[in-house]
Amino acid sequence: MTSCKPTSNGKEEYLRKPDWLKIKLNTNDEYKGLKKLMREKNLHTVCEEARCPNIHECWGERRTATMMILGSVCTRACRFCAVKTGLPNELDLAEPERVADSVAIMNLKHVVITMVARDDLKDGGAQVLAETVRAIRRKSPFTSIEVLPSDLGGLQENLQILMDSKPDILNHNIETVRRLTPRVRARAKYERSLEFLRLAKEMQPDIPTKSSLMIGLGETEEEILEVMDDLRANDVDIMTIGQYLQPTKKHLPVKKYYSPIEFGKLRKIAMEKGFKHCEAGPLVRSSYHADEQVNEATKERQLQAEQ
């Protein structure tokens, strides 16, 4: 896709992607094997549904993957997201065990479990997500587990269900700056996401919390820094910052392509503000290099498994 900017005559000028957004594909045997297994097990991955640019690196080189549970149809219609929107699928109660079996077969080092928003469910899908964490823990005790839920309707009891399953990382994306949230995120609220992250840390202080920001939607530098400050004020440990890419013509256009140098500066600022880890770059997504972000206790558990 292209970025756009207004011209003197009021029309939008479309520009080609810069060279630094070109992706080198690596369709090796590891990648092909994971893709084949995903289809055989009827599993959905956000890597594919959201058209992630890093899928070949994660699947083919790092043995990490992001599973999307609770169906492939989302109840929200966020204007940045390529995941299908509509009437949700019926709950598949066998899904947690099936996902856990696949994680074991793939021998994943790190798995991210995300979900479509399920506003049709009273618990927002929290119980199925928690059962998936427990099933993976039973069958792959040395695989680190990151969960990336919706805001689960903003209900504290739903978040408690999930945190009681004790994932290794709790990730909930702020997505964009405060001013743009109503336009970019359907039904979600900026303050509610901050509260979600704060409560998660209060419930399980030893579990790292994480959030991701897309840039290129028309935000200012001051607004980006405000997001950093808001996340730190709510004790968020890890931040990722990536370039928004327009998935189709129906989605919001890109207003700016940030350069790798600009991303480097943002990463430096984030670390100076107190984040324990920050990934920032044009192709960075929420789960990018997620296997490096687990806490020391989890890393020690994995190291012992390799000895």
Side-chain angles (χ1 to χ4, degrees), residues 2-283:
T2 55
S3 65
C4 66
K5 62 181 181 180
T7 61
S8 58
N9 61 9
K11 294 182 179 180
E12 290 186 332
E13 175 187 355
Y14 287 86
L15 305 175
R16 292 187 178 276
K17 285 182 182 177
D19 289 342
W20 58 77
L21 284 172
K22 292 180 180 178
I23 304 165
K24 183 179 180 181
L25 302 182
N26 178 20
T27 52
N28 60 17
D29 290 342
E30 294 280 2
Y31 170 82
K32 293 175 182 176
L34 286 185
K35 189 175 183 69
K36 182 172 182 289
L37 182 64
M38 295 292 183
R39 300 293 78 78
E40 289 174 349
K41 294 291 184 179
N42 193 30
L43 296 174
H44 303 284
T45 70
V46 76
C47 317
E48 296 169 292
E49 295 285 346
R51 306 178 188 182
C52 179
N54 305 305
I55 186 171
H56 293 82
E57 178 184 356
C58 294
W59 287 19
E61 299 174 24
R62 304 182 72 93
R63 298 295 293 181
T64 65
T66 301
M67 308 286 196
M68 188 169 71
I69 66 170
L70 290 159
S72 60
V73 180
C74 186
T75 55
R76 300 184 184 182
C78 295
R79 297 189 66 197
F80 67 90
C81 184
V83 175
K84 291 179 289 187
T85 303
L87 296 175
N89 308 88
E90 291 185 11
L91 280 182
D92 179 358
L93 299 181
E95 188 173 40
E97 294 296 327
R98 193 170 70 252
V99 170
D101 287 340
S102 299
V103 170
I105 293 170
M106 290 185 286
N107 192 28
L108 293 181
K109 177 183 178 184
H110 183 84
V111 63
V112 181
I113 306 299
T114 189
M115 56 179 285
V116 292
R118 292 297 303 257
D119 297 305
D120 58 310
L121 302 175
K122 183 178 180 181
D123 71 350
Q127 189 62 51
V128 172
L129 186 52
E131 289 174 2
T132 303
V133 173
R134 294 189 178 98
I136 294 171
R137 193 75 79 202
R138 287 195 306 271
K139 297 180 180 183
S140 301
F142 301 110
T143 298
S144 51
I145 306 170
E146 178 176 332
V147 291
L148 177 53
S150 71
D151 57 26
L152 301 177
L155 298 178
Q156 185 170 342
E157 56 265 35
N158 293 345
L159 178 58
Q160 187 71 64
I161 291 171
L162 175 57
M163 296 309 291
D164 285 347
S165 70
K166 296 187 177 180
D168 292 296
I169 297 178
L170 183 284
N171 183 355
H172 175 66
N173 291 337
I174 199 78
E175 304 291 12
T176 189
V177 301
R178 185 191 302 271
R179 174 177 58 88
L180 296 177
T181 294
R183 183 164 180 252
V184 175
R185 302 173 69 197
R187 300 190 189 180
K189 294 179 173 60
Y190 185 87
E191 291 295 342
R192 188 161 72 187
S193 287
L194 292 176
E195 182 182 28
F196 187 93
L197 289 159
R198 177 182 61 80
L199 289 172
K201 177 64 74 172
E202 289 179 0
M203 291 174 184
Q204 297 287 351
D206 294 334
I207 295 178
T209 51
K210 173 180 173 183
S211 195
S212 181
L213 175 68
M214 301 177 295
I215 57 176
L217 284 159
E219 66 290 319
T220 66
E221 181 179 353
E222 291 74 18
E223 288 175 318
I224 295 173
L225 301 186
E226 179 189 32
V227 173
M228 292 183 185
D229 290 336
D230 288 341
L231 292 175
R232 286 301 302 133
N234 287 276
D235 208 15
V236 174
D237 303 292
I238 302 163
M239 184 179 190
T240 61
I241 309 171
Q243 172 70 53
Y244 167 67
L245 298 175
Q246 184 181 8
T248 74
K249 292 181 179 179
K250 296 179 180 179
H251 292 83
L252 291 171
V254 179
K255 297 294 185 180
K256 175 183 176 179
Y257 285 122
Y258 287 77
S259 71
I261 292 176
E262 289 175 298
F263 276 106
K265 290 179 179 178
L266 290 174
R267 182 188 183 280
K268 183 175 183 291
I269 293 171
M271 295 303 291
E272 290 172 348
K273 287 182 178 291
F275 288 98
K276 295 178 181 177
H277 188 96
C278 177
E279 292 279 354
L283 295 177

